Structures are given as structure tokens and as C-alpha cells.
Amino acid sequence: MERDPQTARRLRELQTGADPGAILAFFDALPPVTVAEMSGSWRGAGIPTGHPLDGLLEPLGWHGKRFDGPEDVFPLVFSSAVGLFAVNPAPVPLRAVLRLAPALRRSGLLHRIRPLLRLLRTRHARARLRMTEYRGVSSATMIYDSLPANDVFRRVDANTVLGCMDLRGTRAPYFFVLRRG
């Protein structure tokens, strides 16, 4: 699929900060992605929408996601001075993180937590890919093994997808972009 300049421009605009309704409308207009198209390593970046997770992953060194196959997904890949490593999200107290997110962002604590992420390092896949229906469209979806969340993907172009994390207990989804590479 060729890159549509108008779609790419709209995504760049949304990445500077978006109303949840505007990004949902953009997401809904994008075509679905197949499981096979998600194969490989992807760099990630959050899209600010006012979600509690906005701005939490980047200070921790979030690199993106890795899809080795439908059964072998590494949902959280981080970078460090010694390279990339996958993190097991199971021990992360997600409810507490969501509740404490504003304080975590303000305090600078995230930079102090970053070195501790290596304690959660894993060599085992912690998610899988399936086609699921979300908002009336069947598209590739990453299903976490241990979190009440699904990341649904829609295609921006052959090397860019928009991710929508549907997380139980939150009013609106968390959005992020993944770029191949």
C-alpha cells in the first residue's frame, strides 16, 4: 500500500495531541491490518489524548513492540545503553500506575524507575496476535497474556500502523503509532 500524503499529514497533526473523538474518527477511517502484516520489529510513540498512560512509556525508554509470529509477541520492548530488551508486563501494577500517573509524570520518578525495568526482562513472548472485531472492523489485535487489554491495529501505510489499546476500566482507549524498523 502506498503512502497517502493526506493520511500521513493527519497522523502527524494528531501526534502533537488529539481529542479522543478526533483520533477515534481517524482510527475508524483507516483500513484493517492482517496478522501477517504485523510481523517484525516496530518503533512506538504515544499519541497524547488525555489518557492516563500518556507520556509514561517514553521516559522509561519504550522502543516499541516485536511480532515474531502469531503466538510470539513481545508487547513491551525497551532500549538501554546495552541494546533492546523485552519486558514482562505481568508484574506491573497497572491499576496503580493508572491512578498515580499524574504524580509519576510530575515527579520525575519515571527516570529513576527506568534502570529497574531490566529486572522485568523476559525472553518469552507475553502476548499473541489474532484477528478480532473492534468498532465494527476485523483487524490484527495484540492480546496481552496478563493484562486486561487488547491493542487493535489499523494501517496508515505499509510501514506505519495506528494502535488503539482497549483497556478494561478506562473510559477511552490509549493511542500510539508503530513504525516498522
Side-chain angles (χ1 to χ4, degrees), residues 23-161:
I23 192 123
L24 266 175
F26 179 73
F27 178 85
D28 287 343
L30 293 172
V33 181
T34 66
V35 167
E37 289 175 282
M38 294 304 299
S39 182
S41 293
W42 297 75
R43 291 187 63 91
I47 298 178
T49 62
H51 192 278
L53 291 177
D54 287 354
L56 290 184
L57 289 172
E58 290 81 357
L60 295 173
W62 182 51
H63 177 81
K65 299 178 182 294
R66 194 175 90 220
F67 304 92
D68 292 347
E71 298 296 322
D72 299 304
V73 176
F74 295 84
L76 292 173
V77 177
F78 289 85
S79 63
S80 73
V82 296
L84 300 177
F85 63 97
V87 165
N88 177 5
V92 176
L94 188 57
R95 294 287 165 226
V97 169
L98 291 169
R99 192 173 54 255
L100 299 172
L104 290 171
R105 276 191 293 275
R106 280 193 312 272
S107 69
L109 186 60
L110 295 171
H111 290 290
R112 291 191 291 268
I113 293 172
R114 185 176 179 169
L116 300 176
L117 283 177
R118 293 193 67 73
L119 299 173
L120 301 178
R121 195 173 31 189
T122 184
R123 296 194 193 301
H124 302 287
R126 300 298 176 168
R128 55 199 171 125
L129 275 172
R130 295 290 186 270
M131 295 296 290
T132 67
E133 185 174 319
Y134 180 72
R135 299 182 60 82
V137 176
S138 182
S139 194
T141 302
M142 186 188 80
I143 302 165
Y144 289 83
D145 290 347
S146 61
L147 297 179
N150 295 325
D151 291 351
V152 184
F153 304 106
R154 298 283 181 87
R155 184 184 317 109
V156 175
D157 62 43
N159 295 306
T160 311
V161 296

